[in-house]
Amino acid sequence: MKTGIILMNLGSPDSTSVPDLKVYLKEFLMDERVIDKPLWLRTLLVKGIIVPTRAPKSAEAYKTIWWEEGSPLVVLTERLQKALQEKVTEPVEIAMRYRKPNPKTAYDNLLKKMPDLEEVILVPLYPHYAMSSWETAVVYMKEIHKKYNYSFQLKTVPPFYKHPAYINALAESMKPYLQDEYDQLLFSYHGIPERHVLKTDPTKQHCMQVDNCCYKASDSHPTCYRHQVTMTSELVAKKLGLKKNQWAQSYQSRLGRDPWLLPSTQERLPNLPKEGVKKIKVVCPSFISDCLETLEEIEERGKEDFIANGGEKYEYIPCVNTSEPWVNALVQLIEEAKDAPYERMSIQK
């Protein structure tokens, strides 16, 4: 088949200006899968409270990590596109869930390169399933595909949180940073509200309702973020030969007052030195590309909090970004998607 590939990431504001942050935050936070409140309440919260107060702070945060070429997330996604294109014959484009380039631009660019395009392989750059990341990206791409009545078919690479190629790539990217002495390796994942975990549980009686639910077989696991990040940590730790007392897991980037997954990275980092953890390594496997949440929140502010409370050594381990093992894993994921039936790739309701 005549096939094209689209890599899809979260997206970034167009610049570090407050007006551009307002545009970006409105688009991001008005997504019903990010803040899953009734429209009237979401509008009040986002446009009336969150954006006016958060935009100036976010603009300052972005300024600390912004690269000369632009947003790190966008630049790194473009570099990944280039690295992948060197390994595959199919044309590769990128799309963002929020801001630019949008899905229509990506689809149209593929058609310009391949007018007789028959199939598009969509790769959401999220290892784990969550309604506020993987799901909203896939739904958005499908909506645009349907709206403009494109004739080519659309396949989606499923969450690859436990795929051996991804686990190997993540472990290999971490190895160079684990050569010297440290007290703990902390896996810090993007947090989500507990209600999102409950919402995406098709059984409605397993997630966060059964003891050790993440470790007990269930039909909920294909759409359970908490299970999937836990499995990533376990598999990577095993691949690296780590003992259970050498690593821990937490959740970052909390927004709002509703109960979120615990423990909180922001609460753990200042407390760890008091518990005897003086030297720490932190990695953020829910992100493929480094971005505001990794570079500013974890590498900068996380270090400040840890050192200010008695920590002695803090090192952030970068995302897989464009590492050779990850690009090779990406090729494998795409090849497997080509061979899979369309039904397997469809989003779960």
Side-chain angles (χ1 to χ4, degrees), residues 162-280:
K162 64 178 180 180
H163 194 289
Y166 166 67
I167 296 300
N168 177 68
L170 181 53
E172 287 298 315
S173 73
M174 295 167 62
K175 275 182 182 178
Y177 297 88
L178 302 176
Q179 301 307 309
D180 57 339
E181 185 183 354
Y182 61 94
D183 298 322
Q184 188 180 94
L185 169 65
L186 181 64
F187 291 87
S188 178
Y189 293 93
H190 198 293
I192 62 172
E194 290 181 358
R195 67 176 183 276
H196 284 199
V197 176
L198 299 175
K199 271 189 174 184
T200 55
D201 177 1
T203 73
K204 302 303 177 189
Q205 57 186 10
H206 183 82
C207 292
M208 306 187 76
Q209 299 178 64
V210 174
D211 289 341
N212 294 318
C213 55
C214 290
Y215 295 93
K216 293 181 179 178
S218 171
D219 291 338
S220 68
H221 289 172
T223 54
C224 180
Y225 181 75
R226 187 166 176 256
H227 161 76
Q228 294 184 8
V229 299
T230 300
M231 290 304 102
T232 295
S233 298
E234 294 277 2
L235 290 168
V236 172
K238 182 178 180 181
K239 186 81 174 178
L240 292 170
L242 302 179
K243 298 176 182 177
K244 190 63 180 176
N245 64 352
Q246 290 180 286
W247 63 274
Q249 179 174 303
S250 61
Y251 300 90
Q252 63 182 84
S253 310
R254 178 172 176 164
L255 174 67
R257 298 179 180 178
D258 294 331
W260 278 47
L261 294 180
L262 295 173
S264 161
T265 302
Q266 284 67 27
E267 292 176 2
R268 292 300 296 143
L269 287 175
N271 288 319
L272 283 170
K274 305 167 191 173
E275 299 170 13
V277 178
K278 301 289 187 177
K279 300 175 183 178
I280 194 170

Side-chain angles (χ1 to χ4, degrees), residues 25 40-41 55 85 110 112 120 122 179 187 190 197 235 240 247 251 257 262-263 273 292 313 315 321 327 335 345 349:
L25 288 173
W40 69 269
L41 180 55
Q85 190 65 83
L110 284 179
K112 288 176 185 176
V120 169
L122 171 64
Q179 301 307 309
F187 291 87
H190 198 293
V197 176
L235 290 168
L240 292 170
W247 63 274
Y251 300 90
R257 298 179 180 178
L262 295 173
L292 183 73
K313 188 174 181 180
E315 186 171 24
N321 291 320
V327 179
E335 287 301 315
M345 296 296 169
K349 299 296 182 183

Side-chain angles (χ1 to χ4, degrees), residues 146 225 347:
K146 182 178 180 181
Y225 181 75
I347 190 169

Side-chain angles (χ1 to χ4, degrees), residues 16-119:
T16 60
S17 72
V18 174
D20 279 344
L21 259 298
K22 287 183 176 180
V23 171
Y24 170 72
L25 288 173
K26 284 178 185 176
E27 184 179 350
F28 176 34
L29 299 176
M30 282 301 294
D31 184 342
E32 65 180 355
R33 285 177 169 81
V34 174
I35 298 182
D36 53 330
K37 303 286 188 182
L39 179 59
W40 69 269
L41 180 55
R42 187 163 72 251
T43 302
L44 176 64
L45 288 172
V46 173
K47 297 183 178 179
I49 300 173
I50 300 175
V51 170
T53 58
R54 193 177 177 118
K57 296 177 183 177
S58 292
E60 291 304 310
Y62 269 104
K63 287 176 184 176
T64 68
I65 59 105
W66 205 259
W67 292 351
E68 187 175 333
E69 309 101 301
S71 160
L73 180 141
V74 175
V75 174
L76 286 166
T77 307
E78 291 171 344
R79 291 179 185 174
L80 182 60
Q81 173 194 13
K82 183 179 179 181
L84 177 63
Q85 190 65 83
E86 292 175 354
K87 291 181 178 289
V88 299
T89 56
E90 298 86 358
V92 182
E93 289 293 324
I94 64 173
M96 298 294 168
R97 175 58 184 89
Y98 311 104
R99 301 307 297 147
K100 306 168 186 174
N102 60 41
K104 187 175 187 304
T105 298
Y107 285 145
D108 292 346
N109 284 345
L110 284 179
L111 284 170
K112 288 176 185 176
K113 296 177 181 178
M114 190 179 285
D116 54 349
L117 183 67
E118 297 175 278
E119 175 186 79

